[in-house]
Amino acid sequence: MKQNNKGLSQLGMAMRAGKLITGDEIVLKAVRNRQAHLVILAGDASANTKKKFRDKCGTYGIQLAEAFDREQLGRAIGKPERVVLAVTDAQFGKMIASHLSHNTEVDHIGQ
């Protein structure tokens, strides 16, 4: 469980550094423009949302992690509930992914 907390605190750091975006459309746009280095999807996202982001991230070769729930993601970045986040910085993306891969599903697509 400790690893998860580390991942969540790093999400907060990325948010404060301005390297994190949230929201369906904004994240999809970042994936299409290849600005997203890591997409994090809440485990309690709808099946439809999960499929949409899996397909889109797969198409563009963006790493996708399914982790935490919408409440934890929101709390980590100081916002209300969040279903999807994208890390827009490669270093933050690697750092956060390394802490997520211990306990969660992380798809390394096209790497």
Side-chain angles (χ1 to χ4, degrees):
M1 189 64 196
K2 190 165 182 354
Q3 296 295 343
N4 278 351
N5 295 344
K6 186 96 171 149
L8 284 170
S9 69
Q10 288 173 342
L11 282 174
M13 278 176 22
M15 184 69 180
R16 288 189 294 280
K19 306 295 184 190
L20 195 76
I21 55 174
T22 73
D24 258 39
E25 291 309 312
I26 295 166
V27 170
L28 281 174
K29 186 176 177 199
V31 168
R32 280 194 296 269
N33 295 335
R34 299 188 196 284
Q35 292 168 328
H37 292 275
L38 171 66
V39 173
I40 301 170
L41 198 54
D44 58 352
S46 71
N48 215 4
T49 299
K50 287 180 183 180
K51 180 181 179 349
K52 176 168 60 176
F53 282 97
R54 268 202 194 106
D55 292 352
K56 194 59 79 178
C57 288
T59 300
Y60 289 93
I62 308 288
Q63 190 176 353
L64 175 71
E66 196 176 302
F68 313 112
D69 61 34
R70 61 184 74 207
E71 206 170 280
Q72 289 172 304
L73 289 177
R75 204 171 31 241
I77 63 168
K79 303 255 185 230
E81 296 181 350
R82 290 291 186 253
V83 173
V84 65
L85 310 171
V87 181
T88 57
D89 178 82
Q91 291 311 112
F92 268 115
K94 281 192 186 94
M95 186 173 71
I96 293 167
S98 74
H99 291 288
L100 296 180
S101 59
H102 295 286
N103 299 10
T104 54
E105 173 190 324
V106 177
D107 294 333
H108 294 275
I109 301 169
Q111 292 185 350

PDB file of all heavy atoms in Angstrom, residues 24-25 28 31-32 41 46-59 64 84:
ATOM      1  N   ASP A  24     -11.825  14.378 -19.435  1.00  0.00           N
ATOM      2  CA  ASP A  24     -11.948  13.536 -20.630  1.00  0.00           C
ATOM      3  C   ASP A  24     -11.404  14.166 -21.904  1.00  0.00           C
ATOM      4  O   ASP A  24     -10.488  13.644 -22.520  1.00  0.00           O
ATOM      5  CB  ASP A  24     -13.443  13.253 -20.877  1.00  0.00           C
ATOM      6  CG  ASP A  24     -13.823  11.861 -20.418  1.00  0.00           C
ATOM      7  OD1 ASP A  24     -13.314  11.449 -19.360  1.00  0.00           O
ATOM      8  OD2 ASP A  24     -14.606  11.219 -21.122  1.00  0.00           O
ATOM      9  N   GLU A  25     -11.998  15.267 -22.291  1.00  0.00           N
ATOM     10  CA  GLU A  25     -11.665  15.859 -23.587  1.00  0.00           C
ATOM     11  C   GLU A  25     -10.238  16.378 -23.636  1.00  0.00           C
ATOM     12  O   GLU A  25      -9.535  16.214 -24.634  1.00  0.00           O
ATOM     13  CB  GLU A  25     -12.654  16.982 -23.942  1.00  0.00           C
ATOM     14  CG  GLU A  25     -14.052  16.475 -24.252  1.00  0.00           C
ATOM     15  CD  GLU A  25     -14.072  15.342 -25.273  1.00  0.00           C
ATOM     16  OE1 GLU A  25     -13.419  15.462 -26.330  1.00  0.00           O
ATOM     17  OE2 GLU A  25     -14.727  14.314 -25.011  1.00  0.00           O
ATOM     18  N   LEU A  28      -7.891  13.390 -23.837  1.00  0.00           N
ATOM     19  CA  LEU A  28      -7.948  12.798 -25.184  1.00  0.00           C
ATOM     20  C   LEU A  28      -7.173  13.642 -26.186  1.00  0.00           C
ATOM     21  O   LEU A  28      -6.446  13.115 -27.022  1.00  0.00           O
ATOM     22  CB  LEU A  28      -9.400  12.645 -25.650  1.00  0.00           C
ATOM     23  CG  LEU A  28     -10.165  11.444 -25.086  1.00  0.00           C
ATOM     24  CD1 LEU A  28     -11.625  11.497 -25.520  1.00  0.00           C
ATOM     25  CD2 LEU A  28      -9.530  10.133 -25.504  1.00  0.00           C
ATOM     26  N   VAL A  31      -3.514  13.100 -25.696  1.00  0.00           N
ATOM     27  CA  VAL A  31      -3.105  11.799 -26.242  1.00  0.00           C
ATOM     28  C   VAL A  31      -2.955  11.921 -27.761  1.00  0.00           C
ATOM     29  O   VAL A  31      -1.939  11.510 -28.328  1.00  0.00           O
ATOM     30  CB  VAL A  31      -4.117  10.688 -25.870  1.00  0.00           C
ATOM     31  CG1 VAL A  31      -3.862   9.410 -26.669  1.00  0.00           C
ATOM     32  CG2 VAL A  31      -4.059  10.406 -24.369  1.00  0.00           C
ATOM     33  N   ARG A  32      -3.949  12.525 -28.401  1.00  0.00           N
ATOM     34  CA  ARG A  32      -3.896  12.684 -29.866  1.00  0.00           C
ATOM     35  C   ARG A  32      -2.694  13.511 -30.299  1.00  0.00           C
ATOM     36  O   ARG A  32      -2.097  13.252 -31.334  1.00  0.00           O
ATOM     37  CB  ARG A  32      -5.186  13.330 -30.378  1.00  0.00           C
ATOM     38  CG  ARG A  32      -6.336  12.347 -30.511  1.00  0.00           C
ATOM     39  CD  ARG A  32      -7.467  12.933 -31.332  1.00  0.00           C
ATOM     40  NE  ARG A  32      -8.076  14.080 -30.696  1.00  0.00           N
ATOM     41  CZ  ARG A  32      -9.112  14.027 -29.867  1.00  0.00           C
ATOM     42  NH1 ARG A  32      -9.663  12.869 -29.571  1.00  0.00           N
ATOM     43  NH2 ARG A  32      -9.609  15.119 -29.343  1.00  0.00           N
ATOM     44  N   LEU A  41      -6.164   6.205 -15.210  1.00  0.00           N
ATOM     45  CA  LEU A  41      -7.607   6.038 -15.243  1.00  0.00           C
ATOM     46  C   LEU A  41      -8.052   5.459 -13.905  1.00  0.00           C
ATOM     47  O   LEU A  41      -7.451   4.508 -13.419  1.00  0.00           O
ATOM     48  CB  LEU A  41      -7.919   5.056 -16.380  1.00  0.00           C
ATOM     49  CG  LEU A  41      -9.291   4.942 -16.956  1.00  0.00           C
ATOM     50  CD1 LEU A  41      -9.824   6.297 -17.406  1.00  0.00           C
ATOM     51  CD2 LEU A  41      -9.271   3.983 -18.133  1.00  0.00           C
ATOM     52  N   SER A  46     -16.205   4.086 -15.707  1.00  0.00           N
ATOM     53  CA  SER A  46     -17.155   3.211 -16.400  1.00  0.00           C
ATOM     54  C   SER A  46     -16.422   2.359 -17.439  1.00  0.00           C
ATOM     55  O   SER A  46     -15.350   2.738 -17.922  1.00  0.00           O
ATOM     56  CB  SER A  46     -18.221   4.048 -17.100  1.00  0.00           C
ATOM     57  OG  SER A  46     -17.645   4.721 -18.210  1.00  0.00           O
ATOM     58  N   ALA A  47     -17.015   1.229 -17.780  1.00  0.00           N
ATOM     59  CA  ALA A  47     -16.420   0.330 -18.775  1.00  0.00           C
ATOM     60  C   ALA A  47     -16.226   1.063 -20.101  1.00  0.00           C
ATOM     61  O   ALA A  47     -15.222   0.880 -20.796  1.00  0.00           O
ATOM     62  CB  ALA A  47     -17.318  -0.885 -18.969  1.00  0.00           C
ATOM     63  N   ASN A  48     -17.186   1.919 -20.419  1.00  0.00           N
ATOM     64  CA  ASN A  48     -17.124   2.705 -21.640  1.00  0.00           C
ATOM     65  C   ASN A  48     -15.910   3.632 -21.652  1.00  0.00           C
ATOM     66  O   ASN A  48     -15.183   3.725 -22.646  1.00  0.00           O
ATOM     67  CB  ASN A  48     -18.411   3.541 -21.726  1.00  0.00           C
ATOM     68  CG  ASN A  48     -18.881   3.701 -23.142  1.00  0.00           C
ATOM     69  OD1 ASN A  48     -18.308   3.135 -24.066  1.00  0.00           O
ATOM     70  ND2 ASN A  48     -19.930   4.482 -23.309  1.00  0.00           N
ATOM     71  N   THR A  49     -15.701   4.325 -20.540  1.00  0.00           N
ATOM     72  CA  THR A  49     -14.569   5.251 -20.416  1.00  0.00           C
ATOM     73  C   THR A  49     -13.255   4.482 -20.497  1.00  0.00           C
ATOM     74  O   THR A  49     -12.321   4.899 -21.188  1.00  0.00           O
ATOM     75  CB  THR A  49     -14.667   6.023 -19.081  1.00  0.00           C
ATOM     76  OG1 THR A  49     -15.892   6.767 -19.088  1.00  0.00           O
ATOM     77  CG2 THR A  49     -13.505   6.972 -18.895  1.00  0.00           C
ATOM     78  N   LYS A  50     -13.186   3.337 -19.803  1.00  0.00           N
ATOM     79  CA  LYS A  50     -11.969   2.525 -19.837  1.00  0.00           C
ATOM     80  C   LYS A  50     -11.643   2.105 -21.264  1.00  0.00           C
ATOM     81  O   LYS A  50     -10.496   2.187 -21.693  1.00  0.00           O
ATOM     82  CB  LYS A  50     -12.122   1.289 -18.948  1.00  0.00           C
ATOM     83  CG  LYS A  50     -12.074   1.606 -17.480  1.00  0.00           C
ATOM     84  CD  LYS A  50     -12.242   0.343 -16.650  1.00  0.00           C
ATOM     85  CE  LYS A  50     -12.273   0.669 -15.173  1.00  0.00           C
ATOM     86  NZ  LYS A  50     -12.431  -0.518 -14.339  1.00  0.00           N
ATOM     87  N   LYS A  51     -12.664   1.654 -21.984  1.00  0.00           N
ATOM     88  CA  LYS A  51     -12.448   1.207 -23.367  1.00  0.00           C
ATOM     89  C   LYS A  51     -11.971   2.369 -24.233  1.00  0.00           C
ATOM     90  O   LYS A  51     -11.039   2.226 -25.019  1.00  0.00           O
ATOM     91  CB  LYS A  51     -13.726   0.597 -23.942  1.00  0.00           C
ATOM     92  CG  LYS A  51     -13.536   0.110 -25.377  1.00  0.00           C
ATOM     93  CD  LYS A  51     -14.789  -0.473 -25.958  1.00  0.00           C
ATOM     94  CE  LYS A  51     -14.677  -0.954 -27.389  1.00  0.00           C
ATOM     95  NZ  LYS A  51     -13.506  -0.611 -28.154  1.00  0.00           N
ATOM     96  N   LYS A  52     -12.611   3.520 -24.075  1.00  0.00           N
ATOM     97  CA  LYS A  52     -12.256   4.683 -24.884  1.00  0.00           C
ATOM     98  C   LYS A  52     -10.776   5.035 -24.698  1.00  0.00           C
ATOM     99  O   LYS A  52     -10.051   5.238 -25.673  1.00  0.00           O
ATOM    100  CB  LYS A  52     -13.147   5.871 -24.481  1.00  0.00           C
ATOM    101  CG  LYS A  52     -12.798   7.160 -25.194  1.00  0.00           C
ATOM    102  CD  LYS A  52     -13.846   8.245 -25.022  1.00  0.00           C
ATOM    103  CE  LYS A  52     -14.074   8.646 -23.593  1.00  0.00           C
ATOM    104  NZ  LYS A  52     -15.009   9.762 -23.441  1.00  0.00           N
ATOM    105  N   PHE A  53     -10.326   5.079 -23.446  1.00  0.00           N
ATOM    106  CA  PHE A  53      -8.936   5.466 -23.195  1.00  0.00           C
ATOM    107  C   PHE A  53      -7.954   4.349 -23.538  1.00  0.00           C
ATOM    108  O   PHE A  53      -6.862   4.624 -24.022  1.00  0.00           O
ATOM    109  CB  PHE A  53      -8.756   5.977 -21.764  1.00  0.00           C
ATOM    110  CG  PHE A  53      -9.249   7.384 -21.621  1.00  0.00           C
ATOM    111  CD1 PHE A  53     -10.509   7.655 -21.128  1.00  0.00           C
ATOM    112  CD2 PHE A  53      -8.464   8.455 -22.028  1.00  0.00           C
ATOM    113  CE1 PHE A  53     -10.979   8.953 -21.028  1.00  0.00           C
ATOM    114  CE2 PHE A  53      -8.916   9.758 -21.941  1.00  0.00           C
ATOM    115  CZ  PHE A  53     -10.175  10.010 -21.441  1.00  0.00           C
ATOM    116  N   ARG A  54      -8.351   3.088 -23.318  1.00  0.00           N
ATOM    117  CA  ARG A  54      -7.472   1.975 -23.722  1.00  0.00           C
ATOM    118  C   ARG A  54      -7.242   2.021 -25.229  1.00  0.00           C
ATOM    119  O   ARG A  54      -6.115   1.891 -25.694  1.00  0.00           O
ATOM    120  CB  ARG A  54      -8.114   0.643 -23.370  1.00  0.00           C
ATOM    121  CG  ARG A  54      -7.695   0.161 -22.024  1.00  0.00           C
ATOM    122  CD  ARG A  54      -7.864  -1.350 -21.872  1.00  0.00           C
ATOM    123  NE  ARG A  54      -7.746  -1.599 -20.450  1.00  0.00           N
ATOM    124  CZ  ARG A  54      -8.756  -1.901 -19.660  1.00  0.00           C
ATOM    125  NH1 ARG A  54      -9.960  -2.047 -20.163  1.00  0.00           N
ATOM    126  NH2 ARG A  54      -8.571  -2.093 -18.386  1.00  0.00           N
ATOM    127  N   ASP A  55      -8.326   2.193 -25.972  1.00  0.00           N
ATOM    128  CA  ASP A  55      -8.222   2.228 -27.431  1.00  0.00           C
ATOM    129  C   ASP A  55      -7.377   3.408 -27.889  1.00  0.00           C
ATOM    130  O   ASP A  55      -6.488   3.263 -28.731  1.00  0.00           O
ATOM    131  CB  ASP A  55      -9.613   2.313 -28.079  1.00  0.00           C
ATOM    132  CG  ASP A  55     -10.421   1.028 -27.884  1.00  0.00           C
ATOM    133  OD1 ASP A  55      -9.858   0.026 -27.395  1.00  0.00           O
ATOM    134  OD2 ASP A  55     -11.623   1.038 -28.210  1.00  0.00           O
ATOM    135  N   LYS A  56      -7.656   4.584 -27.345  1.00  0.00           N
ATOM    136  CA  LYS A  56      -6.957   5.796 -27.775  1.00  0.00           C
ATOM    137  C   LYS A  56      -5.481   5.722 -27.404  1.00  0.00           C
ATOM    138  O   LYS A  56      -4.608   6.020 -28.224  1.00  0.00           O
ATOM    139  CB  LYS A  56      -7.617   7.027 -27.131  1.00  0.00           C
ATOM    140  CG  LYS A  56      -7.204   8.347 -27.736  1.00  0.00           C
ATOM    141  CD  LYS A  56      -7.501   8.467 -29.208  1.00  0.00           C
ATOM    142  CE  LYS A  56      -8.943   8.774 -29.510  1.00  0.00           C
ATOM    143  NZ  LYS A  56      -9.205   8.945 -30.939  1.00  0.00           N
ATOM    144  N   CYS A  57      -5.178   5.306 -26.181  1.00  0.00           N
ATOM    145  CA  CYS A  57      -3.777   5.195 -25.758  1.00  0.00           C
ATOM    146  C   CYS A  57      -3.055   4.126 -26.569  1.00  0.00           C
ATOM    147  O   CYS A  57      -1.887   4.291 -26.923  1.00  0.00           O
ATOM    148  CB  CYS A  57      -3.679   4.894 -24.263  1.00  0.00           C
ATOM    149  SG  CYS A  57      -4.133   6.304 -23.228  1.00  0.00           S
ATOM    150  N   GLY A  58      -3.762   3.046 -26.884  1.00  0.00           N
ATOM    151  CA  GLY A  58      -3.179   1.988 -27.703  1.00  0.00           C
ATOM    152  C   GLY A  58      -2.824   2.482 -29.089  1.00  0.00           C
ATOM    153  O   GLY A  58      -1.742   2.206 -29.617  1.00  0.00           O
ATOM    154  N   THR A  59      -3.720   3.234 -29.683  1.00  0.00           N
ATOM    155  CA  THR A  59      -3.513   3.772 -31.018  1.00  0.00           C
ATOM    156  C   THR A  59      -2.292   4.678 -31.072  1.00  0.00           C
ATOM    157  O   THR A  59      -1.507   4.633 -32.022  1.00  0.00           O
ATOM    158  CB  THR A  59      -4.759   4.573 -31.473  1.00  0.00           C
ATOM    159  OG1 THR A  59      -5.878   3.691 -31.469  1.00  0.00           O
ATOM    160  CG2 THR A  59      -4.576   5.166 -32.858  1.00  0.00           C
ATOM    161  N   LEU A  64      -0.758   3.602 -20.307  1.00  0.00           N
ATOM    162  CA  LEU A  64      -2.011   3.756 -19.577  1.00  0.00           C
ATOM    163  C   LEU A  64      -1.946   2.948 -18.294  1.00  0.00           C
ATOM    164  O   LEU A  64      -1.555   1.786 -18.310  1.00  0.00           O
ATOM    165  CB  LEU A  64      -3.179   3.253 -20.438  1.00  0.00           C
ATOM    166  CG  LEU A  64      -4.553   3.223 -19.771  1.00  0.00           C
ATOM    167  CD1 LEU A  64      -5.085   4.638 -19.577  1.00  0.00           C
ATOM    168  CD2 LEU A  64      -5.534   2.415 -20.590  1.00  0.00           C
ATOM    169  N   VAL A  84      -9.971  10.628 -14.942  1.00  0.00           N
ATOM    170  CA  VAL A  84      -8.810  10.446 -15.818  1.00  0.00           C
ATOM    171  C   VAL A  84      -7.844  11.625 -15.670  1.00  0.00           C
ATOM    172  O   VAL A  84      -8.260  12.782 -15.572  1.00  0.00           O
ATOM    173  CB  VAL A  84      -9.249  10.239 -17.293  1.00  0.00           C
ATOM    174  CG1 VAL A  84      -9.924  11.475 -17.857  1.00  0.00           C
ATOM    175  CG2 VAL A  84      -8.083   9.809 -18.161  1.00  0.00           C
TER     176      VAL A  84
END
